[in-house]
């Protein structure tokens, strides 16, 4: 489950580049607490995701078995 996300740092929206499949996105805070989950559907390998209101800090986005660090400004 390879994916990239941008922009990073982000504020309200991210784009996820990856496979053309539907996936579940999990958002965790720095301590590992699940904050939000969303099903995403990518169109031609890119999914646009509107983020919930988040305080500035470091978060973890997980899709499948792959996780990436996300910085919120």
């Amino acid at each position: 489950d390879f994916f990239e996300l941008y922009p990073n740092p982000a504020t309200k929206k991210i784009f996820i580049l990856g496979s053309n499949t539907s996936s579940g996105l999990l958002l965790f805070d720095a301590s590992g607490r699940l904050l939000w989950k969303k099903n995403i559907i990518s169109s031609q390998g890119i999914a646009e995701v509107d983020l919930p209101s988040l305080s500035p800090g470091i978060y973890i986005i997980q899709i499948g078995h792959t996780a990436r660090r996300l910085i919120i400004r």
Side-chain angles (χ1 to χ4, degrees):
D1 298 320
F2 175 78
F3 72 93
E4 293 182 30
L5 58 92
Y6 69 92
N8 194 5
T11 52
K12 297 180 181 178
K13 182 181 291 192
I14 58 171
F15 295 90
I16 297 173
L17 296 138
S19 63
N20 272 333
T21 60
S22 300
S23 302
L25 178 150
L26 302 174
L27 177 71
F28 299 92
D29 66 13
S31 66
R33 186 171 48 116
L34 178 63
L35 300 177
W36 189 65
K37 62 182 175 179
K38 180 174 180 71
N39 287 328
I40 57 169
I41 298 172
S42 63
S43 173
Q44 298 185 2
I46 300 173
E48 181 179 335
V49 179
D50 291 315
L51 295 170
S53 180
L54 297 169
S55 299
I58 297 174
Y59 296 85
I60 303 297
I61 295 232
Q62 181 177 331
I63 298 174
H65 299 290
T66 304
R68 299 276 182 263
R69 185 175 67 177
L70 172 66
I71 299 169
I72 298 294
R73 286 189 188 176

